[in-house]
Amino acid sequence: MLENVPAWLPASQALLPHGTCLLWSPGLMSLHVASDALIGLSYYSIPFGLAFFVRRRSDLAYRWIFLLFAAFILACGTTHFFEIWTLWRPDYATQGVLKAVTAGFSLSTAVLLWPVLHRALELPSPKQLAAVNAELTREIASRQEMVRRLEVEADERRQLEEKLRRNEARLRAILDTAVEGILTIDEQGTVEMCNPAAARIFGYSAEEVLGRNVDRLMPDPHAEAHRDYLDRYRATGNGSILGRVREVTGLRKDGSTFPVEIAVGEFANGGRHFTGILRDITDRKRAEQAVRDSEERLQQQQAELLHVQRLSTAGELAGMMAHELNQPLGAIANYLGGITLRYGPVLEAHPSLAEAIEATQRLSARASQVVWGIRDLVRRRESGREWVAPGLIVEETLALLRPELERRQIRLQLAIPPALPQLWGRRVQLQQLLLNLMLNAMDAMAVTQAERRKLTVRARSGGAGAMEIEIADTGSGFKPELAEQLFEPFVTTKPEGIGLGLAICRSIAEAHGGRISARSVLGKGSTFTVNLPTDNKEPARHE
Amino acid sequence: MNNKPTVFVVDDDLDMRNSLKWLVESIGLTVASFPSAESFLEAGPPARPGCLLLDVRMPGMGGLRLLEHLRARGSSLPVILLTGHGEVSMAVTALKSGAFDFIEKPAAHQVILERVQDAIALDRKNHTRASEKAAFEDLLAQLTQREGEVLERLVDGEITRDIAQAMAISERTVEKHRERLMHKMQAKSLAHLIRLVVEHRK
């Protein structure tokens, strides 16, 4: 059999090569060699695949078992190659060692595989892993989204805070510069906020007001009422003053009180709070009072004027009647006086005639006294004299006429120098004088075109101890020859006039030691001039 | 110059005018009456001595304006204003304008006549003074320049010696001048002479 052993094979001990068992049958030999070679090659190929797998899957769990497995397969492959070797060379010892090594690897692999297998079963499958992975990816994405959102939110919050800061600064600026006092209180009435204006209005510093009860800013009955009011509102919600502007009384630090206008609002911020916006309306009140006073004064003036107008008309009539009656009465007295002088001896001879004449004289004197008595009765009811400023009288008179001037579309031109001497006279009478002249002027302009209507009131100092007031219109005027007659009683150019207005004007001017005159251009307008003395009060003394 | 005084009456009321004329003529005075201030002025300068009874309230030129007009013209005719009762302020204005007096109508006839006579007496006195003054001026004009100078110095109270010294003439000459000027001035004494000069130079 030895001859069948290739020469290049090392000789061994006296063992038979395995081929011997196969009787060196070429068929059997080929079969074995081919099979073993193929198995060995196959075995050898596997560890490379495994190595490739292990290398590529760096995340692989239990890498060592793969390596062990690779070693085990490599060893199995080697035993098969060695089978081929032993067909010809009976190196069974080596084969045995090889098989033992293989067995070692096999056993190790088999033994170690189970626990690993057990644990490997718990490892997720790639599909699971993929699912988990997808889940994770989703989660990461959602977290990133959340982070983004948080960042946006943080950004918004920053902006909001910035805005809040700005708002607060703005609010602070508004509060600090507001003219109105602004206070907030809680529902107990404790002051939580007080701007500088509020503190100033009450004469405190803001620190003195903050934390104190608001009722210290009100005088006593009001403070009490405010406490009650707050209690009631807290309990019942009734009696809301919210949203209304009211006038109340404030108490300053120095104890003085003043009118306050206040608007109250409510807001909830952990309990009820109230905001009050308040204003010191002392000045406004004063102005309102002044307006009321001046209106009252105007009404009073109107009433006075009306009264004086009636009195003057009555006085003028009485005066006129007195004059008209006294002319004949005076003539009677003169004639009788002449008779007593011329016919003294006759009268002495006829005492009864002398008596009759004497009685007639007495009666005519009595008649004139009666007449003057009536006039004096009217006169006595006139007001007394005082120093009056001409400019003021003009102003007061115009104040009565302004609405009427406007209604009649009459322009007013005033030329009143500020420094005019004062007049000693009856204020209301002088007013009436001017009023009559102005009303006449206005009536005269009824036929004038609206754009030409102009009332001019001029005053000027007329040299030492005299002044002049001129009232001019752009009305119909009068014939120059009427200039003197105009002031006579019952002379009028007006259809409804009774002709006493200018007579009264003349009486008033003369009663003040002055005079009145008129001039006119027919169709162009008239000018009435009043001259009044300003130097002393003598003319008035006797009346 | 007619020495019989005239009372002028200006009143627009015919009855009043006539009654005043009747009354004033009762005491033998001449009356000239006018219905208006204008007609009075038109009649020319009034005869003197006299006075004017003037109604304040008249149409046209009133009494006050006539008074002012007269005064502005330099007339010294005394004016009695006839005012209504209670028109005192006007009367005061009238007095300031130079009226002699005012009478409230109606007045007792005695009052009217009394005031008229007072006014005439004043006018006559004024008139006498005026003629005396004219006569004095005439006499004064007859003096030579030298005599005039001596007169001035005498009136100033200088004595003869001082006058002679000041005028550089002898005392004798001064005395001669004095005698002559006293004769020309119709002065009875030095005192009389000085009184004449002082009176008419006021």
Side-chain angles (χ1 to χ4, degrees), chain A residues 44-55:
Chain A
Y44 267 51
S45 74
I46 287 169
F48 290 109
L50 280 174
F52 179 73
F53 179 74
V54 168
R55 262 195 62 201

Side-chain angles (χ1 to χ4, degrees), chain A residues 316 323-324 326-343 361 364-365 368 372 375-376 379 385 484 488 506-507 510-515 535-536 538-540 542-543, chain B residues 11-27 55 57-62 64-65 68 83-90 92-93 96-97 105-110 112-113:
Chain A
E316 194 64 27
H323 181 73
E324 294 303 320
N326 273 315
Q327 290 293 96
L329 287 171
I332 290 170
N334 290 343
Y335 278 121
L336 292 173
I339 287 168
T340 55
L341 290 169
R342 290 177 191 223
Y343 304 104
Q361 281 178 314
S364 79
S368 74
W372 289 123
R375 197 190 172 205
D376 285 349
R379 275 273 170 95
R385 299 209 179 210
E484 294 288 343
E488 295 301 317
R506 184 177 65 177
S507 296
E510 287 174 353
H512 285 82
R515 62 180 62 171
D535 53 349
N536 58 42
E538 246 180 281
H542 310 281
E543 262 179 272
Chain B
D11 197 315
D12 61 312
D13 189 313
L14 177 68
D15 290 326
M16 180 53 74
R17 206 160 60 231
N18 287 343
S19 73
L20 281 171
K21 187 173 157 70
W22 164 265
L23 175 64
V24 175
E25 280 175 352
S26 304
I27 55 167
D55 187 24
R57 208 158 261 230
M58 284 187 296
M61 189 182 195
L64 279 176
R65 273 172 59 199
E68 279 168 16
T83 71
H85 173 73
E87 292 178 325
V88 183
S89 61
M90 186 191 279
V92 172
T93 312
K96 276 199 210 154
S97 305
K105 286 194 293 189
H109 68 271
Q110 295 92 335
I112 297 175
L113 294 176

Side-chain angles (χ1 to χ4, degrees), chain A residues 304-314 432 435-436 501 504:
Chain A
E304 255 176 59
L305 262 179
L306 211 64
H307 177 68
V308 167
Q309 188 97 21
R310 277 197 293 265
L311 271 185
S312 319
T313 307
Q432 194 202 349
L435 186 71
N436 281 352
I504 291 171

Side-chain angles (χ1 to χ4, degrees), chain A residues 142-215:
Chain A
S142 90
R143 270 182 202 214
Q144 278 171 343
E145 175 63 20
M146 208 184 297
V147 166
R148 203 179 52 74
R149 244 186 265 152
L150 277 172
E151 273 169 2
V152 169
E153 222 166 89
D155 203 40
E156 279 172 358
R157 185 174 292 251
R158 255 197 312 282
Q159 283 180 4
L160 212 61
E161 278 169 2
E162 180 59 27
K163 210 161 149 191
L164 269 174
R165 252 197 309 283
R166 274 205 305 272
N167 274 350
E168 174 138 7
R170 197 178 309 148
L171 192 65
R172 180 48 55 193
I174 290 170
L175 287 173
D176 284 355
T177 54
V179 181
E180 276 87 4
I182 303 171
L183 280 171
T184 64
I185 58 170
D186 64 15
E187 58 185 349
Q188 261 72 41
T190 308
V191 176
E192 299 172 317
M193 194 279 292
C194 167
N195 78 334
R200 194 178 56 242
I201 286 172
F202 289 97
Y204 288 98
S205 67
E207 292 71 33
E208 288 175 299
V209 179
L210 285 172
R212 309 291 290 267
N213 199 291
V214 75
D215 59 18

